[in-house]
Amino acid sequence: QSPVLQLVVFDIEGQRYALPLNDVERVLPMVAVSPLPQAPAVVLGVINLHGQVIPVLDLRRRFGLPLRDYGLTARLLVVRTSRRILALPVDEVLGVLDVAGAAVTPVDVVLPGIGHVAGIVALADDLLFIHDVEACLSLDEERRLSESLLSRE
């Protein structure tokens, strides 16, 4: 009997991705993002969430997808890593999906070397890439982001 994973499924550029439900704090409508000078290229900027400055990480840039302006229909997934809270803009949040742990293929079996993908699930009509929020930022990007946030204060 394998454990059941609860995944928040979202869409970017027509591809479905997921994050473990435990990593997701909330889903928000898209809001204005303020630029953050000297931040890593993958960081769009920051938002103010109840007085807390939250970096916005653009997964499109991380995945090498075409950049776009996020309109009012986009959503922000607010996620917690062991080091910080991040907001991830996505085209659409599709809901929560329960997946048997045995249905998850470890990424190293299929695509070795992709650090930000934790696993892949074969759906009836598509593939679902499960992302590891801990690996969204490299150590260098994490350091540069911290420095950018500190110099903002």
Side-chain angles (χ1 to χ4, degrees), residues 13-63:
E13 203 66 33
Q15 174 63 52
R16 283 185 268 185
Y17 300 94
L19 290 169
L21 179 61
N22 291 341
D23 293 344
V24 178
E25 294 226 331
R26 65 181 72 176
V27 177
L28 301 172
M30 190 63 185
V31 296
V33 178
S34 300
L36 182 62
Q38 265 70 116
V42 73
V43 175
L44 273 179
V46 291
I47 61 170
N48 177 340
L49 182 61
H50 306 297
Q52 185 176 10
V53 176
I54 308 290
V56 179
L57 186 78
D58 192 356
L59 293 176
R60 287 174 175 274
R61 294 178 187 190
R62 172 60 71 223
F63 301 159

Side-chain angles (χ1 to χ4, degrees), residues 106-119:
V107 74
D108 291 340
V109 172
V110 182
L111 300 165
I114 297 185
H116 52 272
V117 177

Side-chain angles (χ1 to χ4, degrees), residues 63-129:
F63 301 159
L65 296 171
L67 301 181
R68 75 164 240 208
D69 287 331
Y70 291 99
L72 297 176
T73 59
R75 297 287 175 252
L76 284 171
L77 283 174
V78 179
V79 300
R80 179 178 297 278
T81 73
S82 61
R83 295 178 297 279
R84 69 177 73 247
I85 295 176
L86 298 169
L88 309 173
V90 300
D91 295 341
E92 184 179 5
V93 176
L94 302 171
V96 176
L97 178 67
D98 291 339
V99 175
V104 178
T105 303
V107 74
D108 291 340
V109 172
V110 182
L111 300 165
I114 297 185
H116 52 272
V117 177
I120 302 171
V121 177
L123 302 173
D125 59 345
D126 204 357
L127 293 175
L128 181 64
F129 294 90

